[in-house]
Amino acid sequence: MSMNRIVLLMFLVFILEGTVMPWIIPAGFGHRIMPHFVFVIVIFSGLYSRRHLALLLGVSFGMLQDIVYFGHLLGINAFFMGLMGYFTGVLFERRRSTIMMAISVVGFACILYDSVIYFIYSVFRITSESYAWALIDHILPSLFLQLAFALACYVPVRKLFEGQSKATAENDEE
Amino acid sequence: MIELLKLMRNKRMFMLMIGFILFIAVIGYSLSDRKELSWPEKFLKDSTAYVQQWFYKPAGYIAGFFEDIRNMKTIYEENEQLRITAAAYSRDKIKYNFIEKENERYKEELRFTKQQEEMFNYKYLIAQVIAVSNDANNRTLSINLGSKNGIKPNMAVTTVKGLIGIVRSVTPFTASVTPITELNETSQSFNPVAVTILGRVDESFGILSNYNKETSRLVMTKIAEDDKMEFQDTVITSGLGGVYPRGLVVGTVENKQLGDFGLTYTATVKLAASFDHLTEVFVVSVPELEEAEQ
């Protein structure tokens, strides 16, 4: 039940990211501020749930994004979303992270994720801009949006994932 | 080798390797020259688009309402300008009708073949944008027309203001549009665009080969030395490349300088269309030439 709800909510967030967010972002900043809300939720699932759930959610929603917005390459989002969700889980799943901890983890993860994607695209010669420019142009501006989203959804998402992992733990004991 | 085997004993490392190999394989698959998307991709895209279209348009209406309030002040000036344009238009319309009639008569007298007559008879299919990608290096738009509506890859897509991109891939009910900001000499997904200047169609020639993201301008190359291109000239597609139809507005010339080898000139072009808050776009359908040839 809870798992279904998580997937449904994440799908809704994925839809909103591509349809409602372009309207909320002011005109002229459309190519500079990119919402990566699904990624933020994947990182949260690594922090407050099990690492395997983060891996699963990351790979499946990353793949969904890759396929729906297929332009040049397939599988980048799937691989790195899954990988980064998993490693957040490996590093932080046993601790009870505080809000500051969680927000800073999300921030670093977002910078890393955007940078890795930039480097993959530049390896395949799809972009030819310098990294410093990409950092100023879209990686840092979008970081603020991601942090704001992380702050806004911190309480409900944490409840959702902690409830989920508690439920599975009880099931395991039975 | 033994070191590697020891590493492989670690289950996590092993899974990572497998994952990485899969990742490379999937990238390789997507880079291969495919004519069509595979059926799982089509299915996922169509079903997601079905949900997405409930959200994009209503969001646009709400956002548009607030924008309208903000624009209230400038509306009088705009109205004035539109009246002047409308007057000029009605004058030109009479002229145009006259020339069109004359042109048709000439075509008949010169015995144009069916194919030649239909060649520039483009169809503009109106489509709604249903989603915009959130990847900075891949700003794909989804539109709600697909192969069932006669959309094919490589069709040009414009707004009322100007060219915005080409159709990259189609599914039965949706199509992905690669914006012209992804234009890049080194990437294989976008063909260079042959362009000319409005009003001097047979004198000017250039090729849009690159989009410079740092200055947000298109780079137009291979301009002849004696070309009389000037600041603020309107750049339109010339239809010579075969991919793009002719006569689509691209933007305005900003400056012209000597190219890399000193033989040709390059110019920078400011795009006419804006990519923020897009609602309706037009897919330009070129009449089938292959059928006529057979």
Side-chain angles (χ1 to χ4, degrees), chain B:
Chain B
M1 198 62 204
I2 294 163
E3 288 287 309
L4 193 72
L5 279 176
K6 254 183 203 163
L7 263 178
M8 285 304 178
R9 233 171 264 162
N10 189 339
K11 202 171 122 206
R12 189 180 292 163
M13 205 62 204
F14 186 69
M15 288 314 285
L16 185 67
M17 283 297 155
I18 299 266
F20 196 70
I21 290 166
L22 269 176
F23 167 59
I24 299 289
V26 171
I27 282 194
Y29 171 68
S30 64
L31 275 176
S32 67
D33 189 24
R34 346 180 249 167
K35 292 272 177 296
E36 250 186 79
L37 298 175
S38 55
W39 70 263
E41 279 174 280
K42 281 185 184 171
F43 173 74
L44 254 180
K45 267 180 124 161
D46 278 348
S47 34
T48 317
Y50 184 70
V51 184
Q52 276 171 335
Q53 66 188 4
W54 298 338
F55 287 89
Y56 192 87
K57 232 182 151 182
Y61 281 139
I62 296 164
F65 175 71
F66 286 109
E67 242 161 57
D68 285 346
I69 291 176
R70 227 178 294 152
N71 290 343
M72 216 68 118
K73 276 184 186 164
T74 56
I75 219 147
Y76 290 106
E77 289 166 30
E78 208 178 295
N79 220 346
E80 196 90 334
Q81 277 181 352
L82 284 178
R83 244 177 246 159
I84 297 169
T85 334
Y89 170 74
S90 61
R91 262 202 317 274
D92 286 348
K93 175 108 205 230
I94 299 164
K95 217 167 153 191
Y96 170 79
N97 278 350
F98 185 65
I99 293 172
E100 199 191 22
K101 277 272 146 58
E102 215 168 42
N103 204 357
E104 254 167 43
R105 194 167 54 84
Y106 287 149
K107 274 184 186 170
E108 241 166 63
E109 277 174 14
L110 288 169
R111 299 209 179 76
F112 268 41
T113 59
K114 188 86 184 156
Q115 185 201 336
Q116 281 170 319
E117 270 176 22
E118 294 286 300
M119 206 160 108
F120 301 116
N121 201 3
Y122 302 134
K123 254 195 294 174
Y124 287 77
L125 305 166
I126 188 161
Q128 303 284 344
V129 177
I130 45 177
V132 184
S133 161
N134 61 344
D135 187 342
N137 300 303
N138 165 28
R139 304 285 291 147
T140 306
L141 307 165
S142 306
I143 56 173
N144 69 349
L145 292 185
S147 56
K148 292 253 153 121
N149 308 87
I151 308 287
K152 294 199 181 81
N154 283 333
M155 279 183 174
V157 181
T158 83
T159 61
V160 279
K161 284 185 183 148
L163 181 72
I164 55 164
I166 55 166
V167 173
R168 178 75 211 283
S169 53
V170 288
T171 64
F173 302 105
T174 65
S176 298
V177 179
T178 305
I180 198 167
T181 52
E182 315 262 299
L183 190 66
N184 199 335
E185 278 173 314
T186 48
S187 123
Q188 310 141 335
S189 48
F190 218 114
N191 297 312
V193 192
V195 288
T196 179
I197 299 293
L198 182 69
R200 264 179 280 127
V201 175
D202 41 5
E203 289 168 33
S204 288
F205 177 79
I207 284 180
L208 297 176
S209 55
N210 232 330
Y211 181 80
N212 190 340
K213 282 184 185 158
E214 299 186 20
T215 55
S216 14
R217 297 287 182 272
L218 280 163
V219 180
M220 183 166 155
T221 55
K222 305 210 169 53
I223 303 167
E225 232 172 325
D226 53 352
D227 209 313
K228 293 186 207 73
M229 202 173 285
E230 269 169 49
F231 177 64
Q232 289 296 340
D233 277 353
T234 307
V235 178
I236 57 170
T237 55
S238 67
L240 293 175
V243 175
Y244 294 90
R246 70 173 186 184
L248 303 176
V249 177
V250 178
T252 49
V253 176
E254 283 222 321
N255 64 46
K256 189 176 109 177
Q257 70 266 9
L258 207 58
D260 290 340
F261 301 108
L263 292 171
T264 55
Y265 281 82
T266 61
T268 52
V269 177
K270 187 171 184 279
L271 274 178
S274 137
F275 289 88
D276 290 321
H277 304 182
L278 286 173
T279 46
E280 277 115 16
V281 295
F282 299 96
V283 184
V284 187
S285 159
V286 180
E288 296 280 324
L289 289 182
E290 290 95 324
E291 278 178 27
E293 276 162 18
Q294 287 165 7

Side-chain angles (χ1 to χ4, degrees), chain A residues 13-14 21-22 24 26 53 64 78 80 82 86 100 105-106 115 117 120 124 131-132 134 138 155 157 160 162 167:
Chain A
V13 169
F14 172 77
M21 281 320 285
I24 293 175
L53 179 75
L64 183 68
F80 288 106
Y86 182 80
M100 275 315 287
V105 168
V106 166
S115 310
I117 286 180
I120 295 280
F124 284 97
Y131 177 64
H138 58 85
V155 176
V157 168
L160 194 69
E162 282 187 337

Side-chain angles (χ1 to χ4, degrees), chain A residues 128-145:
Chain A
S128 46
E129 280 69 40
S130 66
Y131 177 64
W133 181 80
L135 200 68
I136 301 289
D137 181 65
H138 58 85
I139 296 179
L140 291 181
S142 354
L143 173 69
F144 287 106
L145 182 68

Side-chain angles (χ1 to χ4, degrees), chain A residues 53-97:
Chain A
L53 179 75
L55 177 71
L56 196 73
L57 287 176
V59 168
S60 44
F61 277 96
M63 205 63 208
L64 183 68
Q65 186 180 333
D66 276 329
I67 288 173
V68 169
Y69 299 119
F70 171 66
H72 308 287
L73 301 172
L74 215 57
I76 302 178
N77 286 301
F79 185 73
F80 288 106
M81 233 186 241
L83 193 72
M84 290 175 75
Y86 182 80
F87 274 103
T88 322
V90 170
L91 292 175
F92 297 100
E93 82 179 329
R94 303 214 180 282
R95 300 175 212 175
R96 291 179 61 82
S97 310

